[in-house]
Amino acid sequence: MMEKIKLVSDRRTCYRRVSPVLWGIAFGYLMVGAAIFAGLLAYVHNFYFALSLFFTGLGFAIFLGFLTYNLIRDACCDYILEITGHEAIFSKIDNWQKKRTDQLLLLTDIKYVEYYPYQDSASIIFHTPYIDMDVPLWPLGNHVQDILDFLEGAGVKVINVQSDESIPT
């Protein structure tokens, strides 16, 4: 068994995954412009219909603004997961807000780990008596199986949520 495993995210892979979503957001803003323009054209014929088009476009623009902000904020984060023989340390470095958060768990305190193997949102959740630590695996590259093998080798029960195995209470 290895003594420790450390994975660091690579923002370049995150940018590649984000680009199709950014194209969708750009198309959404194009539709907002079309809705507002149609509202301006409809103003001459029906004030209430024009107002509904305008507010629908405005509401969708606000939604797209929140979505864009959260997407860019998440793309500017670095993630580090380090698991040693005694502890698991997860660090999230937010380069946008210049913040760093660290969470530490002792391996002996972990009751079990839930593994969500979905391609674009893979994650694991460490369950302990005092906290549940959610760790996104998708930005950490293709070393998910190494993490799972390391945890199982350390005696931690790993439950794949896609299997028929029941989750302990």
Side-chain angles (χ1 to χ4, degrees):
M1 184 169 99
M2 294 184 275
E3 218 172 286
K4 76 176 186 174
I5 186 169
K6 182 176 183 177
L7 298 177
V8 179
S9 65
D10 182 13
R11 270 196 251 166
R12 290 174 294 173
T13 60
C14 183
Y15 292 150
R16 283 193 297 267
R17 289 184 179 185
V18 166
S19 63
V21 177
L22 288 177
W23 280 106
I25 290 172
F27 182 73
Y29 278 118
L30 183 68
M31 292 296 104
V32 165
I36 291 173
F37 182 70
L40 289 174
L41 293 178
Y43 177 73
V44 177
H45 303 288
N46 188 336
F47 173 73
Y48 296 109
F49 181 68
L51 201 60
S52 68
L53 280 175
F54 176 75
F55 282 121
T56 301
L58 186 64
F60 191 55
I62 291 170
F63 168 74
L64 285 175
F66 283 121
L67 183 69
T68 305
Y69 171 76
N70 286 326
L71 186 69
I72 291 172
R73 190 188 68 199
D74 286 345
C76 291
C77 289
D78 291 319
Y79 301 92
I80 302 169
L81 176 62
E82 184 175 358
I83 303 173
T84 66
H86 305 292
E87 59 196 13
I89 304 166
F90 175 64
S91 302
K92 179 180 177 184
I93 302 162
D94 188 344
N95 296 307
W96 183 307
Q97 297 179 351
K98 306 288 189 243
K99 284 191 212 174
R100 179 185 176 123
T101 56
D102 296 311
Q103 291 180 311
L104 177 123
L105 298 175
L106 297 175
L107 288 185
T108 56
D109 291 346
I110 299 172
K111 295 190 290 186
Y112 65 97
V113 173
E114 281 180 73
Y115 168 53
Y116 293 85
Y118 311 115
Q119 183 177 358
D120 290 339
S121 61
S123 66
I124 54 176
I125 301 174
F126 294 92
H127 293 278
T128 66
Y130 48 90
I131 194 170
D132 293 338
M133 184 170 75
D134 189 1
V135 177
L137 295 176
W138 57 267
L140 298 175
N142 298 325
H143 300 287
V144 173
Q145 194 59 45
D146 296 338
I147 293 171
L148 299 176
D149 293 341
F150 187 88
L151 288 169
E152 288 174 347
V156 176
K157 182 175 178 73
V158 177
I159 299 171
N160 185 336
V161 296
Q162 288 185 336
S163 69
D164 291 335
E165 194 173 356
S166 62
I167 296 175
T169 56

Short mmCIF file of all heavy atoms in Angstrom, two decimals, residues 10-48:
data_model
loop_
_atom_site.label_atom_id
_atom_site.label_comp_id
_atom_site.label_asym_id
_atom_site.label_seq_id
_atom_site.Cartn_x
_atom_site.Cartn_y
_atom_site.Cartn_z
N ASP A 10 -6.51 20.26 -12.62
CA ASP A 10 -5.90 20.91 -13.77
C ASP A 10 -6.97 21.79 -14.41
O ASP A 10 -7.95 21.28 -14.96
CB ASP A 10 -5.40 19.85 -14.75
CG ASP A 10 -4.71 20.45 -15.96
OD1 ASP A 10 -4.41 21.66 -15.95
OD2 ASP A 10 -4.47 19.70 -16.92
N ARG A 11 -6.81 23.10 -14.33
CA ARG A 11 -7.83 24.02 -14.84
C ARG A 11 -8.02 23.91 -16.34
O ARG A 11 -9.08 24.21 -16.85
CB ARG A 11 -7.46 25.45 -14.48
CG ARG A 11 -8.04 25.84 -13.16
CD ARG A 11 -8.01 27.32 -13.00
NE ARG A 11 -6.99 27.63 -12.01
CZ ARG A 11 -6.51 28.82 -11.80
NH1 ARG A 11 -6.91 29.82 -12.52
NH2 ARG A 11 -5.62 29.02 -10.88
N ARG A 12 -7.01 23.48 -17.07
CA ARG A 12 -7.16 23.37 -18.53
C ARG A 12 -8.25 22.37 -18.90
O ARG A 12 -9.01 22.61 -19.82
CB ARG A 12 -5.83 22.98 -19.17
CG ARG A 12 -4.81 24.10 -19.13
CD ARG A 12 -3.51 23.62 -19.64
NE ARG A 12 -3.03 22.60 -18.69
CZ ARG A 12 -1.99 21.85 -18.87
NH1 ARG A 12 -1.27 21.96 -19.96
NH2 ARG A 12 -1.61 20.97 -17.96
N THR A 13 -8.34 21.25 -18.18
CA THR A 13 -9.40 20.29 -18.47
C THR A 13 -10.76 20.86 -18.11
O THR A 13 -11.75 20.59 -18.78
CB THR A 13 -9.18 18.97 -17.73
OG1 THR A 13 -9.16 19.21 -16.33
CG2 THR A 13 -7.91 18.29 -18.16
N CYS A 14 -10.80 21.66 -17.06
CA CYS A 14 -12.05 22.30 -16.66
C CYS A 14 -12.50 23.28 -17.74
O CYS A 14 -13.68 23.34 -18.08
CB CYS A 14 -11.88 23.01 -15.33
SG CYS A 14 -13.39 23.76 -14.71
N TYR A 15 -11.57 24.04 -18.30
CA TYR A 15 -11.91 24.99 -19.36
C TYR A 15 -12.47 24.27 -20.59
O TYR A 15 -13.40 24.75 -21.23
CB TYR A 15 -10.70 25.82 -19.76
CG TYR A 15 -10.22 26.78 -18.70
CD1 TYR A 15 -8.89 27.13 -18.62
CD2 TYR A 15 -11.09 27.33 -17.77
CE1 TYR A 15 -8.43 28.00 -17.63
CE2 TYR A 15 -10.65 28.20 -16.80
CZ TYR A 15 -9.33 28.54 -16.74
OH TYR A 15 -8.89 29.40 -15.78
N ARG A 16 -11.91 23.11 -20.93
CA ARG A 16 -12.41 22.35 -22.08
C ARG A 16 -13.84 21.87 -21.83
O ARG A 16 -14.65 21.83 -22.74
CB ARG A 16 -11.50 21.17 -22.38
CG ARG A 16 -10.23 21.56 -23.10
CD ARG A 16 -9.53 20.34 -23.65
NE ARG A 16 -9.08 19.43 -22.63
CZ ARG A 16 -7.86 19.44 -22.08
NH1 ARG A 16 -6.99 20.33 -22.46
NH2 ARG A 16 -7.53 18.57 -21.17
N ARG A 17 -14.15 21.51 -20.59
CA ARG A 17 -15.50 21.05 -20.28
C ARG A 17 -16.49 22.21 -20.20
O ARG A 17 -17.68 22.02 -20.39
CB ARG A 17 -15.50 20.30 -18.96
CG ARG A 17 -14.84 18.96 -19.05
CD ARG A 17 -14.95 18.23 -17.77
NE ARG A 17 -14.34 16.92 -17.88
CZ ARG A 17 -14.37 16.02 -16.94
NH1 ARG A 17 -14.96 16.28 -15.80
NH2 ARG A 17 -13.80 14.85 -17.12
N VAL A 18 -16.01 23.40 -19.91
CA VAL A 18 -16.88 24.55 -19.74
C VAL A 18 -17.23 25.20 -21.07
O VAL A 18 -18.29 25.80 -21.21
CB VAL A 18 -16.19 25.57 -18.79
CG1 VAL A 18 -16.86 26.92 -18.82
CG2 VAL A 18 -16.18 25.03 -17.37
N SER A 19 -16.39 25.05 -22.08
CA SER A 19 -16.61 25.76 -23.34
C SER A 19 -17.96 25.46 -24.00
O SER A 19 -18.60 26.41 -24.50
CB SER A 19 -15.46 25.53 -24.30
OG SER A 19 -15.35 24.19 -24.67
N PRO A 20 -18.49 24.23 -24.05
CA PRO A 20 -19.82 24.04 -24.65
C PRO A 20 -20.92 24.78 -23.86
O PRO A 20 -21.86 25.31 -24.46
CB PRO A 20 -20.05 22.53 -24.59
CG PRO A 20 -18.71 21.93 -24.43
CD PRO A 20 -17.88 22.94 -23.72
N VAL A 21 -20.76 24.84 -22.56
CA VAL A 21 -21.75 25.54 -21.74
C VAL A 21 -21.69 27.05 -22.03
O VAL A 21 -22.72 27.72 -22.09
CB VAL A 21 -21.51 25.26 -20.24
CG1 VAL A 21 -22.47 26.04 -19.38
CG2 VAL A 21 -21.65 23.77 -19.95
N LEU A 22 -20.48 27.57 -22.21
CA LEU A 22 -20.35 28.98 -22.53
C LEU A 22 -20.99 29.31 -23.87
O LEU A 22 -21.59 30.38 -24.04
CB LEU A 22 -18.88 29.40 -22.52
CG LEU A 22 -18.23 29.48 -21.13
CD1 LEU A 22 -16.76 29.82 -21.25
CD2 LEU A 22 -18.95 30.48 -20.25
N TRP A 23 -20.89 28.40 -24.84
CA TRP A 23 -21.57 28.61 -26.12
C TRP A 23 -23.09 28.63 -25.91
O TRP A 23 -23.80 29.44 -26.53
CB TRP A 23 -21.19 27.52 -27.13
CG TRP A 23 -19.88 27.77 -27.78
CD1 TRP A 23 -18.71 27.12 -27.54
CD2 TRP A 23 -19.59 28.76 -28.76
NE1 TRP A 23 -17.71 27.64 -28.32
CE2 TRP A 23 -18.23 28.66 -29.09
CE3 TRP A 23 -20.36 29.73 -29.41
CZ2 TRP A 23 -17.62 29.48 -30.02
CZ3 TRP A 23 -19.74 30.54 -30.33
CH2 TRP A 23 -18.39 30.42 -30.63
N GLY A 24 -23.59 27.76 -25.06
CA GLY A 24 -25.02 27.75 -24.75
C GLY A 24 -25.46 29.03 -24.06
O GLY A 24 -26.54 29.57 -24.36
N ILE A 25 -24.64 29.55 -23.17
CA ILE A 25 -24.96 30.80 -22.49
C ILE A 25 -24.96 31.96 -23.49
O ILE A 25 -25.84 32.83 -23.46
CB ILE A 25 -23.99 31.05 -21.33
CG1 ILE A 25 -24.26 30.05 -20.20
CG2 ILE A 25 -24.08 32.48 -20.82
CD1 ILE A 25 -23.24 30.08 -19.09
N ALA A 26 -23.99 31.96 -24.41
CA ALA A 26 -23.94 33.01 -25.43
C ALA A 26 -25.20 32.96 -26.30
O ALA A 26 -25.79 34.00 -26.62
CB ALA A 26 -22.70 32.85 -26.29
N PHE A 27 -25.65 31.75 -26.65
CA PHE A 27 -26.89 31.61 -27.41
C PHE A 27 -28.08 32.11 -26.60
O PHE A 27 -28.99 32.75 -27.14
CB PHE A 27 -27.09 30.14 -27.82
CG PHE A 27 -28.32 29.92 -28.64
CD1 PHE A 27 -28.39 30.35 -29.95
CD2 PHE A 27 -29.42 29.28 -28.09
CE1 PHE A 27 -29.54 30.14 -30.70
CE2 PHE A 27 -30.57 29.08 -28.83
CZ PHE A 27 -30.63 29.51 -30.14
N GLY A 28 -28.06 31.85 -25.29
CA GLY A 28 -29.12 32.33 -24.41
C GLY A 28 -29.19 33.85 -24.40
O GLY A 28 -30.28 34.45 -24.45
N TYR A 29 -28.03 34.52 -24.34
CA TYR A 29 -28.01 35.98 -24.38
C TYR A 29 -28.50 36.50 -25.74
O TYR A 29 -29.15 37.54 -25.80
CB TYR A 29 -26.62 36.52 -24.08
CG TYR A 29 -26.32 36.59 -22.60
CD1 TYR A 29 -25.28 35.86 -22.05
CD2 TYR A 29 -27.07 37.38 -21.75
CE1 TYR A 29 -24.99 35.92 -20.70
CE2 TYR A 29 -26.80 37.45 -20.39
CZ TYR A 29 -25.76 36.72 -19.87
OH TYR A 29 -25.49 36.79 -18.54
N LEU A 30 -28.22 35.77 -26.79
CA LEU A 30 -28.74 36.14 -28.12
C LEU A 30 -30.27 36.07 -28.12
O LEU A 30 -30.94 36.95 -28.66
CB LEU A 30 -28.14 35.21 -29.18
CG LEU A 30 -28.53 35.51 -30.62
CD1 LEU A 30 -27.91 36.84 -31.07
CD2 LEU A 30 -28.06 34.39 -31.52
N MET A 31 -30.81 35.05 -27.47
CA MET A 31 -32.27 34.91 -27.38
C MET A 31 -32.87 36.01 -26.50
O MET A 31 -33.98 36.49 -26.77
CB MET A 31 -32.66 33.54 -26.82
CG MET A 31 -32.35 32.38 -27.77
SD MET A 31 -33.32 32.47 -29.28
CE MET A 31 -32.13 33.06 -30.44
N VAL A 32 -32.15 36.43 -25.46
CA VAL A 32 -32.62 37.55 -24.64
C VAL A 32 -32.72 38.81 -25.49
O VAL A 32 -33.72 39.54 -25.43
CB VAL A 32 -31.67 37.77 -23.43
CG1 VAL A 32 -31.91 39.12 -22.78
CG2 VAL A 32 -31.82 36.66 -22.42
N GLY A 33 -31.68 39.06 -26.30
CA GLY A 33 -31.72 40.22 -27.18
C GLY A 33 -32.87 40.14 -28.17
O GLY A 33 -33.55 41.15 -28.44
N ALA A 34 -33.12 38.95 -28.69
CA ALA A 34 -34.23 38.77 -29.64
C ALA A 34 -35.58 39.00 -28.95
O ALA A 34 -36.48 39.62 -29.54
CB ALA A 34 -34.18 37.37 -30.25
N ALA A 35 -35.72 38.54 -27.71
CA ALA A 35 -36.98 38.74 -26.99
C ALA A 35 -37.21 40.22 -26.70
O ALA A 35 -38.34 40.73 -26.86
CB ALA A 35 -36.97 37.95 -25.69
N ILE A 36 -36.18 40.93 -26.29
CA ILE A 36 -36.34 42.36 -26.01
C ILE A 36 -36.62 43.14 -27.31
O ILE A 36 -37.47 44.04 -27.33
CB ILE A 36 -35.09 42.89 -25.26
CG1 ILE A 36 -35.07 42.29 -23.85
CG2 ILE A 36 -35.09 44.41 -25.20
CD1 ILE A 36 -33.83 42.58 -23.05
N PHE A 37 -35.93 42.77 -28.38
CA PHE A 37 -36.18 43.42 -29.67
C PHE A 37 -37.61 43.15 -30.14
O PHE A 37 -38.31 44.06 -30.63
CB PHE A 37 -35.16 42.95 -30.71
CG PHE A 37 -35.32 43.60 -32.05
CD1 PHE A 37 -35.01 44.95 -32.22
CD2 PHE A 37 -35.79 42.89 -33.14
CE1 PHE A 37 -35.17 45.56 -33.46
CE2 PHE A 37 -35.95 43.49 -34.38
CZ PHE A 37 -35.64 44.83 -34.53
N ALA A 38 -38.08 41.92 -29.99
CA ALA A 38 -39.46 41.58 -30.37
C ALA A 38 -40.44 42.35 -29.50
O ALA A 38 -41.50 42.79 -29.97
CB ALA A 38 -39.70 40.08 -30.24
N GLY A 39 -40.10 42.55 -28.23
CA GLY A 39 -40.95 43.36 -27.35
C GLY A 39 -41.04 44.79 -27.81
O GLY A 39 -42.11 45.42 -27.76
N LEU A 40 -39.92 45.34 -28.28
CA LEU A 40 -39.94 46.71 -28.80
C LEU A 40 -40.80 46.82 -30.06
O LEU A 40 -41.54 47.79 -30.23
CB LEU A 40 -38.50 47.17 -29.10
CG LEU A 40 -37.62 47.44 -27.88
CD1 LEU A 40 -36.19 47.73 -28.31
CD2 LEU A 40 -38.18 48.57 -27.05
N LEU A 41 -40.71 45.81 -30.93
CA LEU A 41 -41.53 45.82 -32.14
C LEU A 41 -43.01 45.62 -31.81
O LEU A 41 -43.89 46.20 -32.47
CB LEU A 41 -41.07 44.73 -33.11
CG LEU A 41 -39.69 44.91 -33.74
CD1 LEU A 41 -39.36 43.72 -34.63
CD2 LEU A 41 -39.62 46.21 -34.53
N ALA A 42 -43.31 44.82 -30.79
CA ALA A 42 -44.70 44.53 -30.42
C ALA A 42 -45.33 45.67 -29.63
O ALA A 42 -46.56 45.72 -29.51
CB ALA A 42 -44.76 43.24 -29.61
N TYR A 43 -44.53 46.58 -29.14
CA TYR A 43 -45.04 47.69 -28.33
C TYR A 43 -46.09 48.51 -29.08
O TYR A 43 -47.07 48.96 -28.50
CB TYR A 43 -43.87 48.58 -27.89
CG TYR A 43 -44.28 49.79 -27.10
CD1 TYR A 43 -44.73 49.66 -25.79
CD2 TYR A 43 -44.26 51.05 -27.66
CE1 TYR A 43 -45.13 50.75 -25.06
CE2 TYR A 43 -44.64 52.17 -26.94
CZ TYR A 43 -45.08 52.01 -25.63
OH TYR A 43 -45.47 53.10 -24.91
N VAL A 44 -45.90 48.67 -30.36
CA VAL A 44 -46.83 49.46 -31.18
C VAL A 44 -48.21 48.79 -31.23
O VAL A 44 -49.23 49.47 -31.24
CB VAL A 44 -46.26 49.64 -32.60
CG1 VAL A 44 -47.23 50.38 -33.50
CG2 VAL A 44 -44.93 50.34 -32.55
N HIS A 45 -48.24 47.48 -31.22
CA HIS A 45 -49.49 46.74 -31.41
C HIS A 45 -50.18 46.35 -30.11
O HIS A 45 -51.41 46.40 -30.03
CB HIS A 45 -49.24 45.48 -32.26
CG HIS A 45 -48.63 45.80 -33.59
ND1 HIS A 45 -49.35 46.39 -34.59
CD2 HIS A 45 -47.38 45.63 -34.07
CE1 HIS A 45 -48.58 46.57 -35.65
NE2 HIS A 45 -47.36 46.11 -35.35
N ASN A 46 -49.38 45.91 -29.12
CA ASN A 46 -49.98 45.45 -27.87
C ASN A 46 -49.00 45.71 -26.73
O ASN A 46 -47.99 45.02 -26.60
CB ASN A 46 -50.32 43.97 -27.97
CG ASN A 46 -51.11 43.46 -26.78
OD1 ASN A 46 -51.07 44.03 -25.69
ND2 ASN A 46 -51.84 42.38 -26.99
N PHE A 47 -49.32 46.68 -25.90
CA PHE A 47 -48.43 47.09 -24.82
C PHE A 47 -48.18 45.94 -23.84
O PHE A 47 -47.05 45.72 -23.41
CB PHE A 47 -49.03 48.30 -24.09
CG PHE A 47 -48.26 48.69 -22.86
CD1 PHE A 47 -47.03 49.30 -22.95
CD2 PHE A 47 -48.78 48.42 -21.60
CE1 PHE A 47 -46.31 49.65 -21.81
CE2 PHE A 47 -48.08 48.76 -20.46
CZ PHE A 47 -46.84 49.38 -20.57
N TYR A 48 -49.21 45.20 -23.45
CA TYR A 48 -49.08 44.16 -22.44
C TYR A 48 -48.25 42.98 -22.96
O TYR A 48 -47.46 42.39 -22.21
CB TYR A 48 -50.45 43.69 -21.95
CG TYR A 48 -51.20 44.81 -21.27
CD1 TYR A 48 -52.30 45.39 -21.87
CD2 TYR A 48 -50.77 45.30 -20.04
CE1 TYR A 48 -52.97 46.43 -21.25
CE2 TYR A 48 -51.43 46.34 -19.41
CZ TYR A 48 -52.53 46.90 -20.02
OH TYR A 48 -53.18 47.94 -19.41
#
